[in-house]
Amino acid sequence: MENKTNYNAALATLVTVFFFWGFIAASNGVFIPFCKSYFHLDQFQSQLIDFAFYGAYYIGALLLFIVSGSVKTDILNKWGFKNGIIYGLVLSALGAAIMIPAISSGSFGFILGSLFVVALGFSLQQTSANPFAIALGDPAKGSHRLNLAGGVNSFGTAIGPIVVALALFGAATYSDDQIASIDLSTVKTLYIAVGALFLLAAGLFISSKKLPQAKGDTNFVQAPKAVKTLGFITISLLVIFYFVFDQYRGEVVDSNFIFQLIMAALVIIVGSLLLANKNAIKKPEGWGAMQYPQLVMGMLAIFTYVGVEVTIQSNLGELLKSEAFGGFTDSEIAPYISMYWGSLMIGRWAGAITVFNPGKSLKNVLFIIVPYLAFGIVLLVNHVSNNDVSGLYLYGWSILLLIGGFFFGQEKPAKTLFIFGFLGVLAMLLGLFTEGTIAIYAFMSGGLFCSIMWPSIFSLSIAGLGKFTSQGSAFLIMMILGGAIIPPIQGKLADLFNIHDSYWITVACFAYLMFFAVKVKGVLKTQGVNYDE
């Protein structure tokens, strides 16, 4: 009985860790436009927050993979997933501590570095936490625990922007010209509290002596050619990171030079993966999971999916500040950023219904009730925080498209991904060819259509991989890197043209996800895998 109590306490702590990821990542949607005004940045430079944050996920995951390959042992499994979470929490706490002098220094580059360290810890936590959740009890109910954690993560994304906005602006409304005069002591207090919570969570894991380390198989499936390809990408990215951060050590920042570096990173990533798959098809030995075209296409799909999910909201604040979209100030955009991330919560809560195996009739009813319940929670949280939500009520009509997508998708991953990719393309085009409330709703609904893409892409990408499934999963997680590359590119498009037209990049992203849904189904059929069956 005591053991069960300890496991429940650990699950509660683990769920809190999932909350942290969502809280910090979503709050960037408010922090980015604030930093643009506070540090007098262009739109491209403001998106370097995402570049640092999501780039750290890739660097952390890949370094683990490369080290494991060099010692021929899965390092994370050797440590144990519990220790992996602890090390990640301590690393994130260090990043939160670094944020304190970073804010005091008034250096944007210093702040980018601290966010990089926070996210580096998140990378280690995320790689460890999913299998650890499976180990905390009956494995047959592991997916239930993961969906619970995912739901809490989504709740974190909904309230993160609200809390950070309160820390930055309080109850006051600031114009862009007044932003530079804001006292950032409350932000320091926020990160002190966040860092303390990281350490508290780590302490709870350490003190739970009876918890399993939940070690997996330490045998490492060798893929030397894949390691060389990923190693080349990593070295290139580290060099690019260095030059990006180095730009902020001087008084003059060459934005065009940084953009050229980001574009070089995109070409290196996409080109290296396509070349690797081409060579792997000719001679699969030594390529490991990369010999499977569904995985390489899936890596690009995860890259694109995370990129579009992040870039919509990261640039949304700047869009809302334009006169054609309401002319909001930095201190007034939090409800819209919250609703964007809340849209992902709405879709994920609906997507979790099937896990609990309700009857067909009940499931159909829940597919309608649960999304609107989640919608009501997002509105309530904003209302309690004294945010004006009057402009969000009619957004409820957009949720009907999400519900329709679930019914037409019939829980088949390829079909579901295609439908939601198609809806994403339509929504982005509607946003591009209109202005005002309709366009805002259209762009925000991108969160609805992104909400259930991850599991569809993931399951299609690792289908048929056999002994390379674990390795393929690690490669897919690395492609969270898309969140580091695509937002800055959209930011540069906004600087070159305008913030509204920069959203054409989101159309291209959703279009690729549609292409992947069609193409991967055919690839799997040639391998004898009919995943929709």
Side-chain angles (χ1 to χ4, degrees):
M1 188 70 179
E2 181 184 359
N3 194 41
K4 182 178 180 181
T5 302
N6 285 337
Y7 274 42
N8 289 337
L11 180 60
T13 306
L14 185 64
V15 165
T16 303
V17 173
F18 275 75
F19 176 87
F20 287 149
W21 304 338
F23 180 92
I24 298 295
S27 64
N28 287 343
V30 171
F31 199 52
I32 285 170
F34 169 81
C35 285
K36 181 184 178 182
S37 299
Y38 190 84
F39 292 104
H40 306 292
L41 308 172
D42 58 26
Q43 186 64 12
F44 166 73
Q45 289 174 300
S46 71
Q47 299 303 304
L48 293 178
I49 288 177
D50 283 334
F51 178 70
F53 191 82
Y54 291 97
Y57 272 83
Y58 172 81
I59 296 297
L62 190 53
L63 286 178
L64 273 176
F65 178 78
I66 290 176
V67 172
S68 296
S70 64
V71 300
K72 299 181 180 180
T73 300
D74 192 317
I75 293 295
L76 190 56
N77 281 326
K78 186 176 181 180
W79 287 345
F81 299 130
K82 174 184 169 182
N83 281 340
I85 294 171
I86 292 170
Y87 300 155
L89 285 165
V90 172
L91 189 56
S92 291
L94 175 63
I98 295 173
M99 181 64 83
I100 310 307
I103 292 173
S104 298
S105 72
S107 167
F108 182 60
F110 201 170
I111 288 175
L112 292 179
S114 64
L115 284 172
F116 181 89
V117 177
V118 170
L120 204 59
F122 282 2
S123 174
L124 187 53
Q125 293 170 47
Q126 193 158 24
T127 307
S128 306
N130 288 283
F132 189 70
I134 300 296
L136 292 178
D138 181 2
K141 296 182 179 179
S143 59
H144 295 252
R145 294 189 289 277
L146 282 175
N147 275 280
L148 171 64
V152 174
N153 171 272
S154 296
F155 183 64
T157 65
I159 71 169
I162 299 171
V163 174
V164 171
L166 288 172
L168 288 170
F169 309 113
T173 299
Y174 292 85
S175 67
D176 288 352
D177 294 335
Q178 295 172 321
I179 293 293
S181 64
I182 290 178
D183 180 7
L184 296 183
S185 59
T186 52
V187 180
K188 294 181 186 178
T189 303
L190 175 65
Y191 271 90
I192 289 171
V194 168
L197 288 172
F198 286 146
L199 292 177
L200 175 62
L204 289 173
F205 276 106
I206 293 171
S207 63
S208 301
K209 300 295 184 182
K210 293 187 178 182
L211 285 178
Q213 279 295 346
K215 295 183 179 181
D217 185 2
T218 58
N219 292 325
F220 188 81
V221 179
Q222 295 296 309
K225 294 179 181 178
V227 169
K228 288 180 181 178
T229 297
L230 294 170
F232 170 71
I233 294 174
T234 304
I235 292 171
S236 301
L237 288 175
L238 288 173
V239 171
I240 289 170
F241 272 123
Y242 170 77
F243 281 112
V244 169
F245 292 140
D246 187 61
Q247 279 287 306
Y248 288 93
R249 293 172 60 184
E251 295 183 0
V252 179
V253 177
D254 187 345
S255 180
N256 289 328
F257 174 63
I258 298 176
F259 176 67
Q260 291 168 6
L261 291 173
I262 301 292
M263 289 303 298
L266 178 64
V267 171
I268 288 170
I269 294 163
V270 176
S272 296
L273 290 177
L274 293 177
L275 181 62
N277 185 240
K278 181 180 178 180
N279 292 332
I281 292 173
K282 293 179 180 178
K283 191 175 181 180
E285 292 80 8
W287 283 104
M290 277 195 185
Q291 66 187 270
Y292 294 91
Q294 66 264 36
L295 177 72
V296 176
M297 288 191 300
M299 291 171 72
L300 292 174
I302 290 290
F303 180 93
T304 305
Y305 153 72
V306 176
V308 73
E309 177 185 281
V310 173
T311 201
I312 290 173
Q313 65 89 34
S314 291
N315 288 278
L316 185 60
E318 185 65 18
L319 184 76
L320 292 169
K321 289 165 65 176
S322 61
E323 289 300 322
F325 291 86
F328 296 96
T329 65
D330 288 331
S331 55
E332 295 173 326
I333 64 174
Y336 293 91
I337 303 298
S338 171
M339 183 54 73
Y340 173 78
W341 286 110
S343 296
L344 282 107
M345 183 180 86
I346 291 167
R348 286 168 183 165
W349 282 21
I353 291 171
T354 305
V355 175
F356 300 98
N357 297 317
K360 184 176 180 180
S361 298
L362 176 60
K363 181 167 64 175
N364 289 339
V365 172
L366 291 175
F367 271 141
I368 298 172
I369 294 177
V370 170
Y372 281 103
L373 174 63
F375 176 58
I377 290 174
V378 179
L379 289 175
L380 178 62
V381 169
N382 275 278
H383 177 71
V384 170
S385 303
N386 293 320
N387 286 323
D388 181 9
V389 295
S390 59
L392 296 174
Y393 291 131
L394 292 178
Y395 183 65
W397 288 102
S398 303
I399 298 174
L400 290 175
L401 293 174
L402 173 82
I403 296 170
F406 274 115
F407 282 112
F408 281 108
Q410 300 175 325
E411 301 175 38
K412 297 180 178 181
K415 187 175 183 180
T416 297
L417 181 60
F418 179 83
I419 289 172
F420 280 94
F422 178 70
L423 289 173
V425 169
L426 289 183
M428 297 304 103
L429 289 174
L430 177 62
L432 283 161
F433 287 107
T434 58
E435 294 180 344
T437 301
I438 292 176
I440 293 172
Y441 284 0
F443 288 131
M444 284 199 309
S445 69
L448 293 172
F449 308 135
C450 282
S451 62
I452 50 79
M453 285 185 167
W454 175 280
S456 295
I457 297 170
F458 213 94
S459 59
L460 291 166
S461 301
I462 63 174
L465 264 59
K467 67 177 182 180
F468 297 107
T469 299
S470 178
Q471 187 182 95
S473 299
F475 289 167
L476 289 171
I477 290 173
M478 293 174 195
M479 289 298 103
I480 289 176
L481 179 63
I485 304 299
I486 293 177
I489 294 175
Q490 183 179 354
K492 190 62 178 179
L493 291 174
D495 292 330
L496 292 173
F497 303 102
N498 59 71
I499 186 63
H500 192 187
D501 288 340
S502 72
Y503 272 85
W504 277 104
I505 195 172
T506 63
V507 176
C509 290
F510 280 118
Y512 174 75
L513 294 170
M514 288 175 61
F515 165 79
F516 169 75
V518 174
K519 184 69 175 178
V520 74
K521 188 173 181 180
V523 168
L524 290 176
K525 279 190 175 181
T526 64
Q527 299 174 10
V529 180
N530 190 341
Y531 207 88
D532 278 347
E533 295 297 327

